[in-house]
Amino acid sequence: MAIRFKKRSGHSGLLYRLSLPIFLLIVTFIALFATAASYILIRVQNDHTLKMAEQSTKFVYRNMEYQLNTMNNVAAFLMSNQSIENLLMSTYQMPFEAVSDFYTLEANLQNLSLLSLLNDFGSGNVVQQSYVVSVALEPGSGLYAMATEHFSPITGIYKNNDLQNQKWFQSLNRGERQIVWWSQKSDADSAMIYSARKKTSLKDGRSVGMVIVGADTGSIRGIFDNARLDEGFHLLLDESDRVIYSERYNFLDDASELQYVRALADAKGSIITKIDGENHRVMFETLDNGWKLLAVVPESHFSRYTFAISAFGAATAAAALLIAGFWLRRIVVRVTVPITKLVTAIQRPEVVEFKEALPYLNTGIYEVDELNQKFASMLVTIHSLIEKSFTEEIERRQLQLELLHAQINPHFLYNTLDLINCRAIMTGDRETSQIVRSLANVFRYGLNRGQTWISLEEEMKQVEAYLHIQKMMMNDLHVDIQIPGDLLSATIVHLILQPLAENAIIHGFADRKSGCRIAISARLEREGLVLRVEDNGRGCDADKMNRMLRQPPVLDTNESNEAGSGYGTLNVHRRIQLHDGEGYGLRYVEVGEGTGTSVEVVMPYRPERPAARKDAAHV
């Protein structure tokens, strides 16, 4: 007892000396894990905040494009509508004759101006706005005389005299652009955005006037309200860098002097710049009409959770270290190290392969020592169970095969065939007697008393009896058998050749009645005994058949019933592999197309002759 106590004390001291590096390992692991987790959480949170800002910008961008496209569609409708074209291009001898067409055109413009911008995105303070749809006519239009003298930015029909000094008007007249956009305040002091296109005749291309479509900026305010940034502001600028809309700047303020606006060189992207002494991220995109959409967000907004996540990670790491330090002595030192030694021992290949017994470990801990002994005993038991299971599996397969071949009652079958043979002889029907006797031989050698092995000589008797019956059924069937005499004593798995010959007759000669030939031969090669069955039938795809033979076995599929006798090509192939190994079985040999089928049986050569059969006599 004293000796065991000293050993235990010695082991305890060694484990105590190991506790320091183990504790340092745990500290390192927890520190790395806490740091990595905090870093990942910070990155995920920051990326999520940035993604939300980018999605807000994309939301505003898509809906702004929709609003501008809607205005373009209204102008396009006016320019391409045939009815409006007819109203604008009609000619009148007297001005009063145009009154009816003038009011018809004005009614059409009023109807178009009532189309909603469809910009209600769920914001409670969004008011749906209507368009301002106007036509500024040139003298070439028949309605010019009826048009209002002075242009006003409301829906109506005007003369273009007041607009000729406008830059956008001159740009359209010179053909520099097909559509222009600008912003201004209306007479009611409303912030408006406008687009204008030059209207030309669809027939002769002469200029008729200008189509002007306007909308209140309140129609786009709802878009920004529904994509409001938690921190920062939006900025929508026209081509002259004047403010169209912003939560920070007023309508038509000049933003061209702002440093971050001057820094926008590309059509879209993101830059970081200082605004009011703080770094800001400016995300921008350019609309199809040349206006710029900016989202300005302070960089501190993207990292606002960094400190909280870092503090939480540090607190979690500290708590984990305290718990690990408390349990280290009780778990890691007293249990883990001895068990690790045991695991190391059982992982040795010699132990796993049962070539060497499990080493005995005297750890000084009763539970671990007992575990070592019980595990060694368990390995021995498992080894015995594996050997027993392997032996039982082989016996089970053997019994299944024997049961398969013994399912038919041979006594009843032979007695019945004998009765038919006697009746045929008594009536003088010699041909029927020969058929019955051949059939009896087919069953006698095929059943083989439920035995697996048979000599090649008796196997040939069985297939000859079968072919004798077939020759009496077919008028022109020739059989050529070339078996060397010294190979007749070889032992093979029984019922091999008859299914192959049957397959040749049923499938190879299915569409022919004359000139049928079957050849059976045997030879010795380095790989073993090779039996060949070939015919001059319609042939088959040798590669396809070989691929089918290589497929894994599938239970209860009935795919082996090609020949109609219960044993098919696959059945023969798998029985050979079951008894002789995966390297043996059937193989199809490539022959000329349409010249027949050639299949070979490859088996080990066993020259010994099996025990003499007791039922060798014929019926």
Side-chain angles (χ1 to χ4, degrees):
M1 183 65 68
I3 296 175
R4 295 184 65 184
F5 178 76
K6 288 180 180 179
K7 289 183 178 181
R8 185 177 303 169
S9 299
H11 281 277
S12 297
L14 178 61
L15 294 178
Y16 179 77
R17 289 191 297 270
L18 291 176
S19 62
L20 180 59
I22 295 176
F23 181 74
L24 292 176
L25 179 62
I26 293 176
V27 169
T28 303
F29 174 77
I30 293 177
L32 290 175
F33 178 80
T35 303
S38 300
Y39 174 77
I40 293 173
L41 288 176
I42 291 172
R43 285 296 304 272
V44 169
Q45 181 59 44
N46 293 350
D47 291 346
H48 174 73
T49 306
L50 177 60
K51 186 176 181 180
M52 293 299 294
E54 291 174 346
Q55 288 180 347
S56 174
T57 305
K58 290 180 179 179
F59 174 82
V60 174
Y61 175 83
R62 287 194 298 268
N63 286 280
M64 278 300 305
E65 285 287 3
Y66 171 75
Q67 297 286 28
L68 300 179
N69 287 336
T70 304
M71 296 175 65
N72 284 335
N73 292 337
V74 173
F77 175 79
L78 278 172
M79 297 181 66
S80 61
N81 185 271
Q82 188 62 48
S83 298
I84 295 176
E85 168 80 7
N86 294 335
L87 292 174
L88 292 175
M89 299 305 299
S90 297
T91 58
Y92 310 94
Q93 295 180 355
M94 301 297 293
F96 66 85
E97 296 177 354
V99 172
S100 177
D101 289 346
F102 179 84
Y103 285 111
T104 299
L105 177 60
E106 192 170 58
N108 287 332
L109 297 181
Q110 291 290 344
N111 291 334
L112 287 174
S113 69
L114 295 177
L115 289 176
S116 172
L117 291 177
L118 302 177
N119 63 341
D120 190 353
F121 299 97
S123 176
N125 61 353
V126 173
V127 179
Q128 289 184 339
Q129 301 293 324
S130 297
Y131 298 119
V132 172
V133 184
S134 305
V135 179
L137 298 177
E138 294 185 8
S141 173
L143 300 179
Y144 181 81
M146 296 292 297
T148 305
E149 290 290 339
H150 299 289
F151 178 81
S152 179
I154 60 175
T155 298
I157 306 172
Y158 305 95
K159 296 178 180 178
N160 65 358
N161 299 334
D162 294 347
L163 303 176
Q164 292 182 4
N165 294 327
Q166 299 288 335
K167 291 183 179 180
W168 62 265
F169 185 91
Q170 296 172 359
S171 177
L172 284 178
N173 259 346
R174 290 192 299 266
E176 296 174 357
R177 305 181 68 174
Q178 294 183 350
I179 180 170
V180 294
W181 294 84
W182 76 95
S183 57
Q184 67 182 56
K185 289 191 176 182
S186 67
D187 296 342
D189 204 30
S190 298
M192 302 289 293
I193 57 176
Y194 294 94
S195 70
R197 291 188 181 186
K198 188 175 182 179
K199 169 62 179 166
T200 58
S201 173
L202 299 178
K203 294 181 179 179
D204 52 22
R206 57 194 176 91
S207 178
V208 178
M210 302 288 179
V211 176
I212 303 171
V213 180
D216 195 290
T217 56
S219 63
I220 63 176
R221 187 176 296 110
I223 299 175
F224 290 92
D225 288 343
N226 284 276
R228 190 176 298 277
L229 297 170
D230 294 336
E231 297 286 344
F233 58 92
H234 288 103
L235 195 60
L236 179 62
L237 305 176
D238 63 12
E239 291 182 289
S240 300
D241 291 334
R242 292 187 302 172
V243 176
I244 305 298
Y245 178 84
S246 177
E247 299 94 342
R248 182 167 180 169
Y249 301 99
N250 296 323
F251 181 65
L252 295 182
D253 282 352
D254 187 5
S256 60
E257 296 302 320
L258 296 176
Q259 180 182 359
Y260 60 89
V261 174
R262 294 200 305 268
L264 304 181
D266 299 325
K268 62 183 295 185
S270 175
I271 63 173
I272 297 178
T273 184
K274 279 189 177 296
I275 302 177
D276 299 332
E278 182 182 358
N279 284 337
H280 284 67
R281 184 182 295 270
V282 181
M283 296 167 285
F284 62 94
E285 292 197 47
T286 303
L287 301 171
D288 289 342
N289 67 344
W291 292 3
K292 292 185 178 66
L293 175 64
L294 288 73
V296 184
V297 183
E299 278 290 289
S300 59
H301 176 68
F302 300 119
S303 58
R304 56 181 172 170
Y305 296 107
T306 300
F307 177 77
I309 294 175
S310 301
F312 179 78
T316 303
L321 288 175
L322 289 176
I323 295 174
F326 176 77
W327 287 103
L328 179 62
R329 180 71 182 177
R330 302 186 60 180
I331 297 179
V332 177
V333 176
R334 299 295 297 168
V335 177
T336 305
V337 173
I339 291 180
T340 302
K341 293 180 179 179
L342 176 60
V343 171
T344 303
I346 65 176
Q347 287 180 340
R348 295 178 56 191
E350 295 82 0
V351 176
V352 176
E353 296 173 3
F354 307 107
K355 297 179 180 179
E356 182 179 314
L358 185 69
Y360 174 73
L361 297 178
N362 186 12
T363 64
I365 301 176
Y366 170 77
E367 291 82 2
V368 177
D369 293 340
E370 188 69 15
L371 178 63
N372 179 72
Q373 295 177 8
K374 295 299 183 182
F375 196 89
S377 177
M378 184 179 67
L379 284 178
V380 175
T381 303
I382 290 175
H383 189 199
S384 301
L385 290 176
I386 290 175
E387 291 183 345
K388 181 179 179 182
S389 176
F390 181 76
T391 302
E392 290 177 350
E393 177 66 16
I394 293 178
E395 293 176 355
R396 183 183 65 82
R397 287 175 174 263
Q398 184 65 32
L399 289 175
Q400 287 178 343
L401 287 173
E402 293 176 359
L403 180 61
L404 179 65
H405 298 302
Q407 287 178 345
I408 302 176
N409 188 336
H411 297 290
F412 174 77
L413 179 63
Y414 295 155
N415 291 338
T416 302
L417 293 176
D418 187 47
L419 176 61
I420 296 173
N421 183 37
C422 292
R423 291 288 181 90
I425 293 175
M426 292 175 62
T427 58
D429 190 349
R430 295 294 179 180
E431 183 176 358
T432 300
S433 174
Q434 292 179 2
I435 294 175
V436 171
R437 294 181 62 185
S438 298
L439 180 60
N441 288 333
V442 170
F443 281 115
R444 175 179 294 107
Y445 292 112
L447 293 175
N448 196 31
R449 292 184 174 271
Q451 299 298 316
T452 301
W453 306 98
I454 192 173
S455 68
L456 178 58
E457 181 180 7
E458 293 181 332
E459 178 76 4
M460 290 306 304
K461 292 180 179 179
Q462 193 267 345
V463 74
E464 287 174 351
Y466 169 77
L467 292 174
H468 179 70
I469 296 175
Q470 292 294 342
K471 289 173 69 176
M472 287 187 284
M473 297 171 60
M474 301 175 64
N475 294 328
D476 193 7
L477 174 62
H478 301 278
V479 178
D480 182 15
I481 298 178
Q482 300 290 336
I483 304 294
D486 56 346
L487 297 182
L488 292 175
S489 61
T491 302
I492 63 173
V493 178
H494 92 290
L495 201 58
I496 297 297
L497 296 177
Q498 186 268 329
L500 300 181
E502 183 177 1
N503 194 60
I505 292 174
I506 293 179
H507 296 288
F509 303 144
D511 53 356
R512 64 188 300 176
K513 301 299 182 181
S514 63
C516 301
R517 184 182 64 84
I518 294 179
I520 301 176
S521 62
R523 69 182 186 274
L524 276 180
E525 292 187 356
R526 185 175 59 181
E527 53 191 338
L529 178 63
V530 179
L531 306 178
R532 170 177 286 195
V533 178
E534 52 186 343
D535 62 72
N536 62 343
R538 62 183 178 184
C540 67
D541 188 341
D543 291 337
K544 178 180 178 182
M545 297 300 294
N546 287 326
R547 285 195 301 270
M548 178 192 68
L549 294 175
R550 288 193 294 268
Q551 292 179 354
V554 179
L555 296 178
D556 298 328
T557 61
N558 294 326
E559 78 273 19
S560 61
N561 291 338
E562 308 99 324
S565 62
Y567 297 99
T569 305
L570 284 176
N571 184 290
V572 172
H573 179 69
R574 290 169 184 167
R575 283 193 297 114
I576 294 174
Q577 289 191 332
L578 178 63
H579 292 288
D580 296 331
E582 296 293 331
Y584 299 96
L586 300 186
R587 65 186 181 195
Y588 280 81
V589 180
E590 188 69 41
V591 295
E593 183 178 357
T595 59
T597 302
S598 178
V599 58
E600 293 183 345
V601 182
V602 182
M603 294 179 293
Y605 176 58
R606 300 180 179 88
E608 65 275 8
R609 184 179 179 83
R613 293 170 55 99
K614 295 181 180 180
D615 57 345
H618 296 286
V619 174

